[in-house]
Structures are given as structure tokens and as C-alpha cells.
Amino acid sequence: MQAEKNLVVETIGIHDESSKALIGELEKKKPNPRVGYVMVTNSAKGGDGKIKSHDIKGHKFAVQHSKVRAPAVFNTQKFPFGRYRDEAHDLAVDRGKAWFGEAFVGYKSGDSDGFWDEGEVDNWLLALDPLADGEYDTEVRTSAYRFKSQSKGSKKDNNDKCFGDFNTFLEQVSVFENEERKALHSNDPLFIYYPEPTTMYTGYARELMKWTDEGQSEGMKMIAKLANTMEDKSEQKEKLIYDENLMTSTDLGKREENLFKAYTETSKNTKRDRSKENVKNKVIENIREHDAQSSFKKGGPEMKSEYKKHGYDGE
């Protein structure tokens, strides 16, 4: 009988604030002995780099305050995401060995926001189990995020006739984004990796994709590097897998304002025609207009150009 596989979730976040929020979420959830969580936090002053391990009501959790200083003014193009994600993975490998010994460990990129729906961790484990053992397995499983807002909304939000509230709109956005990711993957398996999805790696694949650059383009460079190890698109499709079970609930962060604009515009545009087709068309039209990270923002030719720019030498 094949041994159960273990999972370490890698996250990055703001020092103190994000780690406390994740601890608060873990305290509400039933622990799973196969799962551990690590977080690398950042601040403008930088930290001491020391690892602090905790048992959070049965959950395995470790946090490390990065020595790398965060810019005083946040800029998505210059923020050292790559440095922090590398540190988070190194921490995940270190704690994975401490927690699970020589047993198989897979790694999952995750948001620091937490508040995962009941059953999501079980779905992560379902997605983890098919990953092959073997030193040279490069399989990667990925899916889009499921968006949620922690705000209760305004009176205008609550009185919306089409969606009822902002979170219902976000549920629709998540459904349509998921459909678009599947279509993109069918067209070319690389296209689902921008904007950044929630992703699960074998250890070998994660080591191949070490982050080395700053800014939002790091994810494309990382996937381009992995894709260049594969001989053709059929192998890419076999190894770069879209898995709906991997869906992860995430906060909107800095995207919330833009998605709220898309919500209010869609509400206005659907007052006279609330048919499913019109609602879907208007949701997509408005998230394409307002959300720069939407998968509807770029088409196939643009994606090919972007990947070539970031080092992909395939077709």
C-alpha cells in the first residue's frame, strides 16, 4: 500500500499582521496530521531571520521574519516577491523534514489571507495524492483562486438587484475565471500560470523553478524555466495539470477596489436584462476593464509573446 503523502503550504505576508491572521484562522479549523503551514513575513526594517515553530491547536506552523527589507512604498513591479517566495520554500523544505522525516512532501503556494472554506484542505490532499514519487517527476497542479471579500459592504452593495451583494458577484467572477483558465489550459498549458494561480509542486519541480527576480513577471519566468525542460506541448499538458479541486478561497487584497468597480458597473449594465448570457457577458466585460490581473485580460498571442520575453524557447 502506498504511503500517504504530506503537504506543506508556503505563504508570505506582512510581519506580525499576516501571521496573527493565519494563526487566528488555524485556531478555528480541525488540524490534519498530514499538513503543515509556513509563512515568511516581511517589513520595511527587516527581521532577524530566525525560525519560530508553533503548535496551533494541533496545527503544525512555523514563521520566519525575513532579513530582506520590504520597500517603504509598495510597488508590484519592484517588490521582492521572488526573494520572499524562495525563503518560504526553503522554510517549507526545512520544516517538512522536521515534521515528516523522510516521507514524501509536496508543496503548495498559498495566500497569507487564510479563511479557507471547510473541506478545501481535504481537496488539496486529494490533489496531492496522485503526484508521482520519483526524483525526476516535474508534475505541477494548479487552479484559479476563489475570491471572497471580508467586508460586509455598503447599503448600495446590499440593495443590488442583480447579485444581492458583492460576494455573490465575486462567486460569479470565480466561476467565469475558472472556466477561462480551463479554456486557456486546453489551448496551451502554460497560459494558466498568469496571473498567479494557486499551485502545488513536487519537490523536484519546485527546485527547478527557483525564483530569482523581483516583480510580477517572476511567475512567468519560473514556469518558462520549467517548460523548457519538457520536449513538447504534449508533455507540458501531461505535467502541467489544471485541477479544479485545488481551488483556494482568497482575500482580494489590493484588487478589491477594482473588482468593486466592476461589480457596480455590472449592476448598472444588467438592470434591464438579467438573462444568464447578458450577466455573464457584462461580468467578463467589466472585470476585463477594471481588473488588470484577470485571466480575461490577455489573449493567446499576447501570452506567447510574454512567455518568449521571459525565457520560453518553445513554440
Side-chain angles (χ1 to χ4, degrees):
M1 184 177 177
Q2 189 181 39
E4 284 188 329
K5 297 174 181 177
N6 306 289
L7 178 67
V8 178
V9 182
E10 311 170 359
T11 63
I12 62 174
I14 301 168
H15 181 59
D16 212 26
E17 177 185 327
S18 296
S19 54
K20 284 182 177 178
L22 182 54
I23 287 171
E25 290 298 325
L26 291 176
E27 288 177 335
K28 302 173 188 176
K29 294 171 174 54
K30 183 179 178 181
N32 190 306
R34 296 172 57 194
V35 183
Y37 303 84
V38 302
M39 176 179 285
V40 165
T41 60
N42 60 78
S43 66
K45 293 182 178 180
D48 58 14
K50 292 181 179 179
I51 299 171
K52 297 179 181 178
S53 291
H54 306 275
D55 181 293
I56 311 297
K57 294 191 175 181
H59 291 281
K60 301 176 183 69
F61 177 69
V63 63
Q64 182 179 28
H65 187 183
S66 177
K67 292 180 180 180
V68 178
R69 295 183 179 184
V73 179
F74 181 82
N75 182 312
T76 56
Q77 298 302 324
K78 295 182 179 180
F79 191 81
F81 291 109
R83 295 286 298 279
Y84 296 135
R85 292 201 184 280
D86 265 346
E87 290 183 358
H89 180 61
D90 290 341
L91 177 58
V93 171
D94 177 87
R95 290 298 85 194
K97 289 178 179 177
W99 290 331
F100 304 115
E102 297 302 314
F104 180 97
V105 177
Y107 305 94
K108 179 188 175 297
S109 68
D111 261 17
S112 60
D113 309 304
F115 72 97
W116 303 303
D117 291 344
E118 186 176 352
E120 285 190 18
V121 175
D122 290 336
N123 283 336
W124 298 348
L125 292 172
L126 285 173
L128 169 73
D129 283 335
L131 293 184
D133 293 291
E135 185 178 358
Y136 299 105
D137 188 283
T138 53
E139 189 172 83
V140 176
R141 289 179 177 267
T142 189
S143 76
Y145 286 121
R146 179 188 292 112
F147 299 120
K148 280 195 170 185
S149 171
Q150 296 190 67
S151 64
K152 294 181 180 179
S154 63
K155 289 182 179 178
K156 182 179 179 181
D157 173 14
N158 294 327
N159 290 333
D160 179 73
K161 301 295 183 184
C162 185
F163 301 104
D165 57 33
F166 185 35
N167 272 321
T168 303
F169 169 77
L170 292 175
E171 288 172 10
Q172 289 295 303
V173 171
S174 297
V175 168
F176 300 146
E177 282 280 357
N178 188 40
E179 291 176 352
E180 180 67 5
R181 295 286 180 130
K182 286 192 288 186
L184 287 170
H185 180 265
S186 178
N187 185 33
D188 190 308
L190 270 67
F191 292 176
I192 58 173
Y193 293 97
Y194 182 85
E196 185 189 8
T198 175
T199 308
M200 189 174 290
Y201 310 95
T202 58
Y204 182 71
R206 190 62 180 83
E207 288 305 313
L208 277 176
M209 298 187 288
K210 274 289 187 179
W211 309 68
T212 56
D213 295 276
E214 300 177 357
Q216 290 185 331
S217 63
E218 59 180 326
M220 296 190 79
K221 292 177 181 178
M222 188 169 120
I223 295 299
K225 184 178 178 182
L226 176 66
N228 285 336
T229 68
M230 300 176 187
E231 291 187 3
D232 53 38
K233 284 188 177 180
S234 63
E235 186 179 0
Q236 290 173 14
K237 189 161 285 190
E238 180 185 339
K239 296 294 186 181
L240 304 175
I241 298 167
Y242 193 86
D243 190 332
E244 293 178 66
N245 287 328
L246 196 57
M247 290 287 281
T248 299
S249 295
T250 183
D251 193 6
L252 302 175
K254 295 182 181 296
R255 297 175 70 178
E256 183 156 14
E257 183 178 346
N258 289 331
L259 280 168
F260 194 81
K261 288 178 183 176
Y263 161 69
T264 55
E265 286 299 311
T266 307
S267 297
K268 292 176 185 176
N269 298 154
T270 53
K271 283 183 177 179
R272 295 183 179 180
D273 182 359
R274 296 199 183 103
S275 65
K276 287 184 179 179
E277 182 178 1
N278 187 55
V279 170
K280 179 176 181 177
N281 289 339
K282 294 303 179 184
V283 169
I284 292 172
E285 178 183 312
N286 283 296
I287 62 173
R288 181 184 283 122
E289 173 70 22
H290 295 286
D291 180 21
Q293 291 178 259
S294 170
S295 58
F296 291 98
K297 198 73 177 179
K298 291 180 181 286
E302 292 172 298
M303 290 298 294
K304 286 185 179 180
S305 175
E306 286 287 316
Y307 271 102
K308 285 184 180 293
K309 188 191 304 181
H310 292 298
Y312 179 52
D313 57 19
E315 292 183 1

